[in-house]
Amino acid sequence: MVSSTPAAGLPLTLGRNGRTPRTLRNRLASAPMERNYGTTDGYITEQYIDYLVTRAKAGLGMVTTEATYVRADGKGRTHQLGLHTDDMVPGLRRLTDALHAEGALAAVELNHGGRTAQSAVSGFKNLAPSPVPCPTAGGEVPRELTAAECYELVAAYAAAARRAVAAGFDVINLHGAHGYLIHQFMSPISNHRTDEFGAPEFFMNLVIDAVRESVPDTIVGMRVSVVEGPADGISAEQQAAIIGKAHLDKLDFLDLSAGSYDAGEWIVQSGEWKPGILSDYAAAYRQFGLPLGMAGRLNSPAIIEEVLSQGTCDFVSLARAIHADPAFVGGVLQGGRYRPCIACNVCIDNLGLGQVTCTVNPAVGRSRVPVPTPAVRPSSNVLVVGAGPAGLTAARELAEAGARVTLVDDGARAGGQFALAERMRSTPDFHRFADWSASENERLNVEVRLGAHVDTSDVGTLARGFGADAVVIATGGRRPGAGFVGGDSPRVSDIRDWLTAHPEILDGSAGVFPEAVTIWGADSVAMSVADTLATLGTSVLVVGPQEALAPESGRRAKILAVPRLEANPKVRIFLSSTIEEFDGSRVRISRAGVQDEWIEAPGELLVSRSVLPLDGPLTLEQREAGLSLSASLPVVLAGTVVDETPAIVSNAVKSGYDAAQRIAAALAGSGTDIAGNVRDRRKFPAVSQRTGDPGTATPAPATPAPVRIRRLGLAQLSLVGTAPPDLVSIAAKAGFDFIGARVRPVTPTERPYNVQPGSPMLRETLARMADTGITVEDIEFLLLDGTGLQNGGDQRVAWLQMMEAGQALGASTLTVACADPDLDRFGDHLAQMTQDGKAYGIVPTLEPIAYQTVRSIPQAVALADHADCKLVVDALHVNRFGGTWAELEDAADLVPLVQLCDGPASPPKSREGLILESRSERGVPGEGEFDLPGLLAPFPGDIPISVETPSGSRVAAMGELAWAKQLMAAATTVLTTPAFTWSTT
């Protein structure tokens, strides 16, 4: 009798040569995909734990974290996980406990970046077998390792393995692939040594031996690139021969992947390549008798069943498929529905920019635990105009939230311009999103009306005609015209219109293709069309003002198309060039420093100059507020019609998702306000979580008022990686009264949180504030340095945006610090800020900081008097710059908030040390040597106290809520301790 259980559903036991076996409940494992969800110093975060546990809940047999660095100089990503110190263990233990509770094995991949780890990221000089740079990673020339240093690195792998076991991991995977350190020793590209480490297997075997000795009973495997990629790299046959020399008796499995930094197309494969692309290489590894894992375009239940049932591999390593949707696991095991990966590779391209997001899953990688879309009121009707990626996403999300949705579009097929992209050579899997969206529309009873043009100039009338309670406008942006003399020629047309008018070319049904075309523009659409037509045999001329082809696309998204175009003799490319004139057969192009040139421009001239949002100075929030007011119902905009980010599918989907959340929030309540655009931004009463006393209420005269301790708040810096909605919930559970919200990052590596009016995060933050009674006292943090910029943006724009967010949150102060050497100029800026703040009910509070320009209380008082603003006092900085009790007493009337922390009496010896202490490792109140009761004594009892105590190591070890509770208990103890002396007089 044939089993009905799919091969993927069968358990798999790992463990050889007497080692205690571990059993996976099925053959599905998550690959060690890097995501940048950790902290800057390598700790796990709540966001990352939630992400991985969600995939364990979906049913994975084994969940792997990511390439985790074994030593600090091996760190290759800004927010990569580390196992380089014992401090990492407690946080990772929380992860493994949670994974085990869901029935999954927990695995970690040990790695060192070698030449790919750049000093700009790690803070250390990079090291490698030989001084061969990796241009793709940044091009820094590494220092060649001495033999002794090689052995030290081997020991680092062993130490990290011991920490992994202490953290509760069941499985350790050694990263011997993708051009990282172990692989670098194997490759002739990166290893030019003549000593014993010149043998490609020597370093690998030292690591295997050392790890096995350090964790004798743990399941250990190794990831292998079955082919390196470059012609002068390791061939498939050579790689198998190297693995044949490995100490395989000490390994329990091999995990097959491919590629290196020099051939990234093999690491994360394009949609052009066939599913199961590594199957042909896997056969060579059966000779070693180890269980085999395999990655590589395993993007459907069918291909997974094929490779497992045919014995190609024993388990599959899944990355993009479960990043797009953890429900893919259920799709494989039970035939359930799931959101498909489209192999666009936006995820991997985002790795060098920040958090790894997903084109089709707009909820992941957005610096927070995903915020659910609220359910709408029963019988809510929503009209969505435009069925491109933004409109499709909004329609589905709102239908899932319970709305009856009508989706209208004037095209013949849903998907908008996306329907054209799926027919390009480099994006053949894009049809999967359109197909899935159509099936979701059917499942959720979304009424789809195609070929229907509607007038959006009067949204109120339009809504009434459809009986809609809310409207989403996702009609697409403006397409710039030709913009050159002769642009009105009948041979000139928009590239999208031309493709729509000639479906037979891309379908191949006509068996013909244009002999030649000219494309004006070098954006991603131009690149894709040029590549597709050139493949058919068309001669292509591309002229564009861009400095590179498709600059809005990431490297992996165009890693095959661009080299093809550049190598094709029938393709001519003129970049940094502008078409000035077209005479019907030639174009006159201009380039900087070069005389204008007439060149032959055969065939149709297709204009591909991207898509631009609406013109005008209005912000998204202002446009939506105006439309909603005139229509008397919630109206939101989505996609390229308003989105100022590059016009790519990933951004359109996120925009549609966010728009749906704004509409759902409006329809979930009783009014017609869009989420975040709250007409009555009421301040919730400051109810003490300890006494229940309203902070602003008048005590009842009949009952003596209890002895009242100060209101306590939790500063964002205490949990800097926590999104504002989660900070509200944690603060409430820990017993705090308020929070300080960090609405703008201070450092380039700090995660930004969008709490501007209209944002889903603001909506969720306000909802949790309403549920808990937590208020927002102050917003952080603006550093003015005199350049006019703040993290790359205009400083006045920055503080106006912060004030707008603060007003929406009900805050009353904005913390600012001075790094400007010109105090007169800074004082003028501060005065302007104070004046601007009056419109928002926000008062700037100047914080003197020990390592900035304003670093004393008298300096701050003088500037505050000049600018008519306030001060905020921070216990750490007052101690570090030697503030006195008398100075504090003189400034008390200017101080609306005091920030509490502790520390040793002796300050760090350098400015860098002060910065590190301030941002990363302050002391718990009462556990250091500061006289905190003395510091607080000059201030009235109604001045609130914000606990500002960051500690990445202790947060990772304890968890965010436990840390918040510890800070609450410690601060309460300090506040009930009598004051004696002030220690810094």
Side-chain angles (χ1 to χ4, degrees):
M1 180 176 178
V2 178
S3 172
S4 60
T5 302
L10 299 175
L12 173 67
T13 299
L14 299 176
R16 306 167 66 236
N17 299 331
R19 293 181 280 275
T20 301
R22 299 286 188 275
T23 299
L24 286 71
R25 58 184 169 185
N26 56 52
R27 305 298 179 102
L28 306 180
S30 66
M33 175 181 177
E34 290 183 66
R35 303 172 183 92
N36 260 343
Y37 294 175
T39 69
T40 54
D41 41 8
Y43 292 102
I44 192 81
T45 62
E46 296 298 325
Q47 178 195 2
Y48 210 161
I49 290 175
D50 176 82
Y51 175 93
L52 294 171
V53 171
T54 297
R55 280 141 187 84
K57 287 179 179 178
L60 285 173
M62 181 166 68
V63 175
T64 310
T65 54
E66 64 175 35
T68 303
Y69 55 94
V70 300
R71 207 169 73 176
D73 55 6
K75 175 183 175 181
R77 306 291 181 193
T78 57
H79 291 75
Q80 186 178 356
L81 293 185
L83 262 172
H84 54 304
T85 72
D86 293 344
D87 291 338
M88 305 294 115
V89 171
L92 291 171
R93 185 79 204 200
R94 291 195 299 117
L95 167 67
T96 59
D97 287 347
L99 295 177
H100 292 150
E102 298 299 335
L105 295 187
V108 63
E109 184 181 60
L110 300 185
N111 183 46
H112 189 287
R115 71 183 186 130
T116 70
Q118 307 294 283
S119 60
V121 173
S122 72
F124 298 90
K125 178 62 183 172
N126 59 345
L127 307 168
S130 300
V132 180
C134 179
T136 304
E140 182 179 354
V141 179
R143 182 171 63 79
E144 181 173 308
L145 287 158
T146 66
E149 288 172 331
C150 291
Y151 284 101
E152 290 171 0
L153 274 168
V154 170
Y157 278 90
R162 285 191 295 271
R163 295 184 192 109
V165 172
F169 285 102
D170 308 288
V171 177
I172 293 172
N173 199 351
L174 303 175
H175 204 336
H178 298 172
Y180 294 116
L181 187 61
I182 295 176
H183 198 203
Q184 289 165 28
F185 276 98
M186 297 182 195
S187 174
I189 293 175
S190 48
N191 188 352
H192 302 165
R193 301 176 73 104
T194 58
D195 61 3
E196 66 269 31
F197 288 95
E201 74 280 0
F202 190 75
F203 184 79
M204 169 187 68
N205 280 331
L206 287 177
V207 173
I208 292 172
D209 293 347
V211 168
R212 176 50 69 204
E213 182 178 357
S214 69
V215 289
D217 196 43
T218 300
I219 304 302
V220 177
M222 185 168 69
R223 195 152 226 221
V224 178
S225 280
V226 295
V227 60
E228 185 174 6
D232 55 346
I234 311 169
S235 68
E237 296 75 19
Q238 290 169 335
Q239 184 64 69
I242 292 171
I243 298 304
K245 297 177 182 179
H247 295 169
L248 297 176
D249 59 311
K250 298 178 181 179
L251 296 179
D252 297 291
F253 65 92
L254 294 173
D255 186 18
L256 306 183
S257 185
S260 69
Y261 271 60
D262 299 309
E265 66 273 19
W266 279 99
I267 300 177
V268 183
Q269 298 89 6
S270 165
E272 298 181 41
W273 289 7
K274 69 176 183 178
I277 185 70
L278 302 185
S279 296
D280 296 338
Y281 298 90
Y285 290 83
R286 279 299 185 197
Q287 63 179 302
F288 303 126
L290 274 73
L292 298 180
M294 189 178 77
R297 292 277 288 146
L298 301 173
N299 61 347
S300 71
I303 187 59
I304 290 173
E305 181 66 17
E306 178 182 316
V307 299
L308 290 172
S309 63
Q310 293 181 2
T312 304
C313 59
D314 300 289
F315 67 92
V316 292
S317 292
L318 305 174
R320 289 175 290 175
I322 57 172
H323 183 64
D325 196 346
F328 181 75
V329 176
V332 175
L333 298 177
Q334 294 97 28
R337 59 184 178 83
Y338 63 89
R339 184 192 321 248
C341 168
I342 60 173
C344 63
N345 287 344
V346 162
C347 52
I348 187 65
D349 279 329
N350 275 353
L351 189 58
L353 304 174
Q355 292 211 338
V356 170
T357 63
C358 177
T359 290
V360 300
N361 185 348
V364 299
R366 305 189 73 180
S367 300
R368 64 177 187 258
V369 174
V371 176
T373 300
V376 303
R377 296 192 305 270
S379 304
S380 295
N381 295 302
V382 180
L383 172 65
V384 179
V385 184
L392 287 172
T393 301
R396 177 192 177 275
E397 195 68 24
L398 287 164
E400 281 276 34
R404 289 198 298 263
V405 178
T406 301
L407 176 64
V408 299
D409 193 277
D410 58 5
R413 181 185 174 194
Q417 307 307 319
F418 193 74
L420 299 173
E422 68 188 42
R423 296 152 73 187
M424 299 294 109
R425 178 178 179 180
S426 58
T427 52
D429 277 3
F430 275 30
H431 74 91
R432 302 183 79 201
F433 177 80
D435 295 346
W436 171 76
S437 296
S439 67
E440 288 292 277
N441 287 338
E442 183 176 353
R443 179 180 70 86
L444 295 167
N445 296 315
V446 174
E447 181 184 355
V448 181
R449 302 186 190 179
L450 298 176
H453 179 76
V454 297
D455 182 6
T456 58
S457 62
D458 185 346
V459 182
T461 300
L462 175 64
R464 288 189 290 274
F466 281 86
D469 302 304
V471 179
V472 179
I473 299 176
T475 50
R478 299 178 296 108
R479 301 183 202 168
F484 51 75
V485 176
D488 55 353
S489 165
R491 290 184 55 197
V492 177
S493 57
D494 179 87
I495 194 167
R496 294 168 176 81
D497 293 341
W498 184 82
L499 289 170
T500 301
H502 297 87
E504 72 282 355
I505 295 175
L506 297 180
D507 289 344
S509 56
V512 296
F513 51 87
E515 182 178 343
V517 297
T518 297
I519 301 178
W520 163 220
D523 61 359
S524 59
V525 174
M527 177 199 72
S528 295
V529 174
D531 180 46
T532 302
L533 292 177
T535 300
L536 295 172
T538 300
S539 295
V540 181
L541 167 65
V542 177
V543 181
Q546 296 89 341
E547 295 180 359
L549 285 170
E552 73 273 32
S553 296
R555 187 176 69 90
R556 301 289 178 87
K558 55 187 180 183
I559 199 168
L560 298 179
V562 169
R564 265 198 308 261
L565 285 169
E566 292 174 341
N568 191 327
K570 299 184 73 173
V571 176
R572 293 175 294 155
I573 302 172
F574 291 83
L575 298 175
S576 300
S577 303
T578 302
I579 294 181
E580 302 291 349
E581 186 175 354
F582 175 56
D583 69 1
S585 62
R586 299 178 305 160
V587 291
R588 178 169 59 88
I589 64 172
S590 64
R591 289 174 283 176
V594 179
Q595 186 175 358
D596 285 8
E597 177 184 4
W598 283 94
I599 58 175
E600 295 297 320
E604 298 277 344
L605 198 161
L606 311 179
V607 178
S608 183
R609 300 181 63 198
S610 193
V611 178
L612 301 178
L614 296 171
D615 280 331
L618 296 180
T619 65
L620 170 63
E621 293 78 18
Q622 290 168 332
R623 289 185 188 280
E624 290 183 344
L627 289 169
S628 299
L629 184 64
S630 64
S632 298
L633 49 77
V635 180
V636 300
L637 302 168
T640 53
V641 67
V642 73
D643 193 357
E644 295 183 358
T645 59
I648 58 175
V649 178
S650 178
N651 291 333
V653 169
K654 290 179 180 64
S655 178
Y657 176 78
D658 292 346
Q661 290 208 324
R662 297 197 296 277
I663 287 290
L667 295 181
S670 57
T672 58
D673 290 317
I674 299 168
N677 294 335
V678 185
R679 289 200 194 103
D680 179 18
R681 290 190 176 95
R682 61 191 179 92
K683 274 196 172 185
F684 300 103
V687 178
S688 170
Q689 304 298 319
R690 298 176 300 288
T691 67
D693 296 330
T696 58
T698 302
T703 305
V707 176
R708 194 174 182 281
I709 56 178
R710 300 175 191 266
R711 292 176 58 236
L712 275 174
L714 182 63
Q716 181 86 61
L717 188 60
S718 295
L719 291 171
V720 74
T722 304
D726 297 327
L727 188 68
V728 170
S729 299
I730 291 167
K733 291 175 182 177
F736 286 96
D737 299 305
F738 65 89
I739 66 167
R742 210 170 181 96
V743 300
R744 188 172 183 86
V746 177
T747 66
T749 58
E750 195 174 310
R751 294 200 177 109
Y753 296 115
N754 179 11
V755 287
Q756 293 301 121
S759 69
M761 186 171 285
L762 175 61
R763 183 264 303 165
E764 183 66 16
T765 303
L766 291 171
R768 296 195 194 184
M769 289 168 63
D771 290 343
T772 62
I774 292 289
T775 60
V776 174
E777 194 75 23
D778 69 311
I779 52 173
E780 304 171 346
F781 181 89
L782 195 65
L783 180 66
L784 301 184
D785 62 5
T787 66
L789 299 177
Q790 163 76 2
N791 286 350
D794 179 86
Q795 65 182 13
R796 186 162 186 247
V797 171
W799 76 56
L800 290 174
Q801 289 176 340
M802 292 178 72
M803 288 173 174
E804 187 176 30
Q807 182 189 44
L809 290 165
S812 57
T813 59
L814 184 162
T815 304
V816 61
C818 174
D820 190 343
D822 186 339
L823 289 182
D824 290 337
R825 177 174 57 192
F826 172 76
D828 291 342
H829 287 159
L830 193 59
Q832 178 67 61
M833 189 186 303
T834 302
Q835 185 63 34
D836 288 341
K838 293 177 181 178
Y840 297 92
I842 301 287
V843 177
T845 53
L846 174 58
E847 179 179 356
I849 292 179
Y851 52 82
Q852 297 293 4
T853 309
V854 176
R855 50 178 176 266
S856 76
I857 293 172
Q859 275 184 305
V861 168
L863 286 162
D865 287 342
H866 168 76
D868 195 23
C869 69
K870 300 289 186 179
L871 304 185
V872 63
V873 170
D874 184 294
L876 176 73
H877 295 297
V878 169
N879 276 272
R880 292 304 178 234
F881 58 62
T884 67
W885 192 91
E887 290 172 349
L888 290 171
E889 189 174 40
D890 288 343
D893 290 343
L894 290 173
V895 178
L897 180 74
V898 176
Q899 295 174 340
L900 199 65
C901 65
D902 215 327
S906 299
K909 298 184 183 302
S910 65
R911 183 175 188 273
E912 290 71 24
L914 287 170
I915 294 173
L916 181 63
E917 177 187 46
S918 175
R919 294 178 179 173
S920 302
E921 291 294 336
R922 300 189 183 194
V924 173
E927 295 183 2
E929 298 176 291
F930 298 170
D931 181 3
L932 297 179
L935 179 143
L936 295 173
F939 302 104
D942 60 350
I943 296 295
I945 306 298
S946 180
V947 183
E948 186 160 275
T949 309
S951 178
S953 60
R954 285 175 287 183
V955 171
M958 301 173 63
E960 294 174 331
L961 179 57
W963 176 243
K965 288 181 176 179
Q966 179 177 339
L967 295 181
M968 179 67 198
T972 300
T973 299
V974 169
L975 293 182
T976 55
T977 301
F980 292 101
T981 60
W982 175 235
S983 62
T984 58
T985 55

